Amino acid sequence: MTSKLLNVMMTKSKIGRLKSHQQCLKGLGLRKIRHSVQVADTPENRGMINKVAYMLKVEEV
């Protein structure tokens, strides 16, 4: 069984954001603007994505 993947790209800067939002970006593996990573579609990752959705672009793979 293969798990679904999400392609997540950071579109806005993390400078000046809440510390918890910066930690969500770090948890997703995002480092800088226009950096893109693939993460598993799990409830934990979805929660982090929902918290900082205003800074991300998300696509299903």
Side-chain angles (χ1 to χ4, degrees), residues 4-30:
K4 290 185 181 180
L5 291 175
L6 298 172
N7 194 23
V8 183
M9 182 171 62
M10 188 166 127
T11 59
K12 294 186 178 185
S13 174
K14 63 184 175 182
I15 296 172
R17 308 294 179 184
L18 293 173
K19 197 69 164 174
S20 60
H21 290 198
Q22 291 180 20
Q23 292 298 317
C24 284
L25 292 172
K26 186 176 182 181
L28 290 168
L30 295 167

Side-chain angles (χ1 to χ4, degrees), residues 23-56:
Q23 292 298 317
C24 284
L25 292 172
K26 186 176 182 181
L28 290 168
L30 295 167
R31 291 188 218 103
K32 55 186 177 179
I33 298 172
R34 290 188 298 281
H35 184 222
S36 182
V37 294
Q38 286 189 348
V39 295
D41 189 4
T42 63
E44 294 83 5
N45 287 338
R46 282 284 184 174
M48 288 191 282
I49 289 168
N50 288 338
K51 192 168 192 177
V52 292
Y54 65 97
M55 300 173 63
L56 302 176

